[in-house]
Amino acid sequence: MSLAPSTPPAADSQPEHPSQYRLLRENRFAPFFWTQFLGAMNDNVFKIGFTSLLTYQAVLFGGIDSKSAAFLISAIFIVPFVLFSATSGQISDKFDKAFMIRLVKTFEIAVMLVGALGFYLHSVALLYFCTFCMGLHSTVFGPVKYAYLPQHLSRAELVGGNGMVEMGTFVAILIGTIVGGAAAALGGHGAALLGGSCIALALLGRLVSAKVPVSPAAQPDLVINWNPFSETWRNLKLAHADRTVFLALMGISWLWFVGATYLTSFFNFAKFVLSGNADVVTVLLATFSLGIGLGSLMCERMSGRGIEIGLVPFGSIGMSVFGIDLYFASRGAPLLSHLSGVSEFLLQPSHWRVLADLFLLAMFGGFYSVPLYALIQTRSQPSHRARIIAANNILNALLMILSALMALALTAIGFTIPQLFLTTALLNVLVAIFIYAQVPEFLLRFVMWLLLHTVYRMTTRDLEYIPEQGPCVLVCNHVSFVDAVVIGALVPRPVRFVMDHRIYNVPVLSWFFRTVKAIPIASEHENPAVLERAFQLIAAALEQGDVICLFPEGRLTADGEIGQFKSGVQRIIRQTPAPVVPMALRGLWGSFFSRRGGAAMSRPFRRGMLNRLELVASAPHDPVTLSAEQLQRAVAELRGAWR
């Protein structure tokens, strides 16, 4: 058995850090991206145009109540998500996704023909019906969209791919908002222009979708349950089977609650709080769209091109902070006796604070959403991934309906729009606390990510050797007191560490170690009962498919060299055989947390800030014949001369 690294898997044989933008040049991504882009743009040309006409030119439609129009349109649009998401998830798993995309885009053309007629006749009934059909169009497309990406992108590309899709979606929303708002401002002629634009975008989307590559069905023999109620319940149970995935779904759905509250309030916010006309609404929506688009794009770089769920708490904190500040910024906005245009609006200094809050709130929303989508895609079984996404859409729709009901109820009892925003921001704090209390992995990854991105410059090499699923044993050298933090932050899967029982039982810290499911261990002469219990826990964890990390030296290095590996590592890897991946930490020797020059953590700023460190891995080894000496040599070769 060779200890030399073999060639990395083909899926990651591309350049080490390829740009996410290169996907736009590849046939497996570009046609899908532009199809999604055009569909999102068309949705918003229609919805924003319709909402703007009802808000600012209600007389054209027989005097409809303008204050409730935006909330009603939003509610009608999302009703199909509740009724048909479960069915659409099954269809997406059963049929080729490229075929489904083209079918949906053909349906969109028919819907927009009806919508154009509604605009021409100024028929609210036809336009409400068209709104429902566009919701149905998006209901069917949603599971296809998020199940398509992991089928065509490698794990290393998923965050970048999701970020590109999110960015594209919100740029499309921005353009659709501008086109829809500008057309609606033209009055009667604008209604006709809206209808023609919607038909043209639907035709172009169908043309582009013809180039989406074949995407074989995940479960072609699936028997579809056409009862939406029983299937909805079954999908929710399927999603609930994995607690982390289910809470990720709830986290995404909560983001849709927050986003829907803001987006559907912008018309009334602009008109009654900021004294702005329809063009000011466009500015608000554009600012919000640019923020979430930028946040989505930044996720890939901030996560080191991996799936970094530590960004989720970071995002939720920012959303709450800037949501609360938006309330105070709105209170300082001057109330004019007339509706101002964009130029007059931007001349007010207080309005710039409002725009900054909206932009930053949305940007942190991007940090929050992209890792959650990538987490769901990677931790869901491919055979029913589309149905998990369908469950997500159901939850999204329910939360968006709840958002509309909350907004209508609060405004009915006298809440102002700024007070509605403050209520939403405070609710976001409570929901975040609940989710992170249920799944501490999110918060712990955030703490790790924050510490390691402010103190160190980190790089990784060949971590793709760590299996994406199933049990695995990581074996690494032990340099400092933060080794586990570094490994936990850089390895894409949750890792359970085996650690000294005395440190494990340190007051206060013991809560943290129990939360991350660390396993305490002792030497045989020190406490044989703890040692035997550790072997049992490690075996059980591997049988459950967990990743275990061992430091076989049993102590921190005192001279920077790798100490002798204890024989207990052989018992661990042989009693429950699993792939054994040698790893090496490089660059931590001499840091504040190492024992170079004396006791660890006794000489702060020993090496300054932003020190470079690296975590490297090699190909998995067969646990049956592997010895402690062979493992020690493998780790030493990986580490090399850089300590």
Side-chain angles (χ1 to χ4, degrees):
M1 178 181 59
S2 171
L3 294 178
S6 59
T7 304
D12 294 292
S13 60
Q14 297 157 354
E16 185 178 356
H17 295 306
S19 168
Q20 58 192 328
Y21 300 104
R22 69 175 170 77
L23 293 172
L24 290 174
R25 301 193 299 269
E26 300 187 14
N27 188 61
R28 62 194 171 115
F29 183 80
F32 163 80
F33 174 86
W34 291 114
T35 300
Q36 153 71 12
F37 183 92
L38 291 166
M41 187 193 301
N42 210 9
D43 271 352
N44 285 274
V45 169
F46 175 82
K47 287 195 299 181
I48 296 300
F50 183 26
T51 307
S52 186
L53 285 173
L54 290 185
T55 303
Y56 290 95
Q57 301 183 49
V59 67
L60 292 174
F61 297 88
I64 295 294
D65 179 15
S66 61
K67 288 189 176 182
S68 61
F71 295 119
L72 184 58
I73 290 171
S74 175
I76 292 172
F77 184 81
I78 60 181
V79 164
F81 285 89
V82 178
L83 297 178
F84 305 116
S85 284
T87 304
S88 68
Q90 294 176 89
I91 293 172
S92 298
D93 277 335
K94 183 175 179 63
F95 296 104
D96 181 290
K97 293 173 185 60
F99 164 76
M100 288 301 304
I101 288 172
R102 288 187 271 274
L103 182 64
V104 168
K105 301 311 289 183
T106 302
F107 175 70
E108 183 183 354
I109 296 171
V111 172
M112 285 310 170
L113 288 170
V114 175
L117 181 62
F119 281 125
Y120 178 75
L121 298 176
H122 296 151
S123 170
V124 173
L126 274 179
L127 290 172
Y128 280 151
F129 173 74
C130 189
T131 301
F132 180 88
C133 290
M134 284 304 291
L136 179 60
H137 156 276
S138 298
T139 299
V140 178
F141 190 79
V144 175
K145 176 174 71 173
Y146 288 108
Y148 175 93
L149 290 176
Q151 195 168 350
H152 291 270
L153 303 184
S154 69
R155 183 187 180 96
E157 296 170 319
L158 264 184
V159 170
N162 276 287
M164 290 292 290
V165 169
E166 292 298 301
M167 176 276 299
T169 298
F170 283 94
V171 170
I173 290 173
L174 168 59
I175 297 173
T177 297
I178 294 171
V179 173
L186 299 176
H189 295 296
L193 181 59
L194 281 171
S197 300
C198 289
I199 292 173
L201 287 170
L203 289 169
L204 185 57
R206 177 62 181 85
L207 184 65
V208 173
S209 71
K211 296 185 179 295
V212 174
V214 172
S215 307
Q219 196 174 351
D221 58 346
L222 177 67
V223 177
I224 295 177
N225 174 17
W226 294 101
N227 184 328
F229 302 104
S230 63
E231 187 60 26
T232 294
W233 180 249
R234 192 162 71 179
N235 277 15
L236 291 174
K237 288 178 64 177
L238 189 67
H240 195 266
D242 187 313
R243 189 162 173 269
T244 300
V245 169
F246 183 74
L247 284 168
L249 296 179
M250 292 299 298
I252 290 173
S253 298
W254 175 252
L255 178 67
W256 282 98
F257 177 100
V258 174
T261 303
Y262 285 102
L263 291 172
T264 54
S265 300
F266 280 169
F267 287 90
N268 290 337
F269 182 53
K271 185 175 181 179
F272 299 109
V273 178
L274 304 178
S275 301
N277 62 14
D279 293 334
V280 173
V281 178
T282 302
V283 171
L284 299 180
L285 290 168
T287 301
F288 197 86
S289 300
L290 288 173
I292 203 161
L294 178 62
S296 299
L297 281 180
M298 290 174 63
C299 273
E300 189 195 36
R301 181 169 294 276
M302 293 178 69
S303 64
R305 295 175 170 84
I307 300 172
E308 180 49 80
I309 61 174
L311 288 177
V312 177
F314 183 56
S316 64
I317 291 169
M319 288 164 59
S320 294
V321 168
F322 294 107
I324 292 170
D325 191 68
L326 180 60
Y327 164 75
F328 293 104
S330 302
R331 295 179 66 189
L335 189 61
L336 306 178
S337 59
H338 63 281
L339 297 182
S340 64
V342 174
S343 299
E344 187 178 357
F345 173 81
L346 294 177
L347 287 175
Q348 297 291 336
S350 60
H351 290 163
W352 284 97
R353 180 179 170 187
V354 169
L355 293 177
D357 283 331
L358 284 176
F359 180 85
L360 292 169
L361 186 156
M363 185 178 74
F364 278 89
F367 299 156
Y368 177 92
S369 65
V370 171
L372 286 177
Y373 277 117
L375 174 71
I376 292 168
Q377 289 165 341
T378 54
R379 295 201 187 180
S380 300
Q381 292 297 323
S383 61
H384 53 258
R385 184 181 286 132
R387 278 168 285 167
I388 296 295
I389 300 300
N392 179 53
N393 288 342
I394 295 166
L395 293 171
N396 290 350
L398 291 172
L399 268 291
M400 290 171 72
I401 291 173
L402 184 60
S403 165
L405 293 175
M406 182 191 78
L408 288 170
L410 292 181
T411 52
I413 63 174
F415 271 56
T416 64
I417 297 298
Q419 288 172 338
L420 176 62
F421 290 165
L422 177 63
T423 301
T424 304
L426 294 176
L427 285 174
N428 188 62
V429 175
L430 297 177
V431 170
I433 291 172
F434 171 77
I435 291 178
Y436 306 141
Q438 296 298 309
V439 186
E441 181 185 350
F442 287 105
L443 196 56
L444 295 175
R445 292 285 301 197
F446 167 60
V447 173
M448 293 176 181
W449 178 86
L450 189 63
L451 288 174
L452 294 177
H453 284 77
T454 54
V455 178
Y456 296 105
R457 292 180 295 119
M458 300 176 298
T459 57
T460 62
R461 198 178 75 215
D462 295 337
L463 294 194
E464 62 269 18
Y465 283 123
I466 300 172
E468 293 185 5
Q469 295 181 336
C472 173
V473 177
L474 308 179
V475 178
C476 193
N477 57 320
H478 205 5
V479 188
S480 74
F481 280 110
V482 295
D483 292 353
V485 176
V486 173
I487 294 170
L490 295 180
V491 172
R493 293 180 59 187
V495 180
R496 296 187 65 178
F497 293 91
V498 179
M499 62 182 300
D500 187 283
H501 73 111
R502 290 165 298 186
I503 299 176
Y504 180 90
N505 290 314
V506 170
V508 182
L509 289 179
S510 61
W511 171 86
F512 173 81
F513 299 137
R514 287 195 303 272
T515 301
V516 298
K517 298 182 180 179
I519 298 174
I521 197 169
S523 62
E524 187 170 8
H525 73 271
E526 186 179 15
N527 195 325
V530 170
L531 177 64
E532 192 60 34
R533 176 63 175 162
F535 286 138
Q536 294 172 3
L537 290 173
I538 293 168
L542 291 173
E543 288 174 358
Q544 294 171 4
D546 292 344
V547 176
I548 296 293
C549 183
L550 306 174
F551 299 105
E553 295 165 86
R555 56 183 295 181
L556 296 185
T557 178
D559 57 7
E561 298 303 323
I562 297 176
Q564 181 180 358
F565 279 17
K566 306 298 183 183
S567 59
V569 68
Q570 292 181 204
R571 176 179 171 182
I572 290 172
I573 63 178
R574 289 178 185 170
Q575 72 176 356
T576 311
V580 180
V581 178
M583 301 175 65
L585 282 164
R586 309 169 72 185
L588 274 171
W589 177 244
S591 71
F592 171 66
F593 301 100
S594 71
R595 287 178 171 166
R596 182 175 181 177
M601 297 183 287
S602 60
R603 296 171 60 190
F605 308 112
R606 184 181 296 175
R607 286 170 48 191
M609 301 290 286
L610 297 177
N611 296 294
R612 182 175 170 232
L613 63 87
E614 187 175 48
L615 178 65
V616 297
S618 68
H621 294 281
D622 181 2
V624 176
T625 58
L626 191 61
S627 67
E629 292 77 15
Q630 288 174 312
L631 264 177
Q632 182 177 335
R633 287 199 301 272
V635 172
E637 289 175 11
L638 279 174
R639 196 210 63 181
W642 182 18
R643 296 185 295 175

